[in-house]
């Protein structure tokens, strides 16, 4: 995996660890599943859903998601 993508996923994991409101559980599960199986398509879909869902309620998280999506897209994934 591209170092930039891994760095972004680590950034996302840090944001998710600090958030215990339950709304981000789906994203936490997506990151765990990606770590286990490396399925870019599933991760990308969940990230896109999350970016839209959290745009107003968690703008910083939404920005992190957008950066990961951009990195995956730039890598041709």
């Amino acid at each position: 995996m591209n170092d930039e993508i891994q760095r972004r996923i680590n950034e996302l994991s840090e944001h998710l660890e600090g958030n215990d409101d339950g709304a981000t559980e789906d994203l936490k599960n997506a990151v765990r599943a990606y770590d286990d199986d490396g399925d870019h398509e599933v991760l990308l879909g969940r990230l896109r859903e999350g970016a839209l869902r959290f745009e107003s309620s968690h703008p910083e998280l939404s920005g992190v998601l957008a950066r990961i999506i951009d990195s995956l897209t730039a890598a041709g994934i």
Side-chain angles (χ1 to χ4, degrees):
M1 175 188 334
N2 178 315
D3 287 339
E4 176 70 17
I5 295 169
Q6 186 60 51
R7 197 171 25 255
R8 297 291 183 197
I9 289 175
N10 289 341
E11 181 183 2
L12 173 60
S13 293
E14 289 173 14
H15 274 79
L16 294 175
E17 285 177 16
N19 190 326
D20 294 329
D21 67 6
T24 59
E25 196 62 36
D26 209 26
L27 286 173
K28 290 177 187 177
N29 291 336
V31 170
R32 282 186 212 114
Y34 177 75
D35 287 341
D36 291 342
D37 64 25
D39 189 341
H40 295 95
E41 296 294 324
V42 171
L43 179 64
L44 191 55
R46 295 271 175 85
L47 294 175
R48 286 182 175 140
E49 290 171 10
L52 292 173
R53 179 178 179 194
F54 297 115
E55 191 170 17
S56 63
S57 63
H58 297 80
E60 188 175 332
L61 176 57
S62 184
V64 171
L65 295 172
R67 288 190 292 276
I68 296 171
I69 292 167
D70 291 345
S71 295
L72 289 169
T73 302
I77 297 170

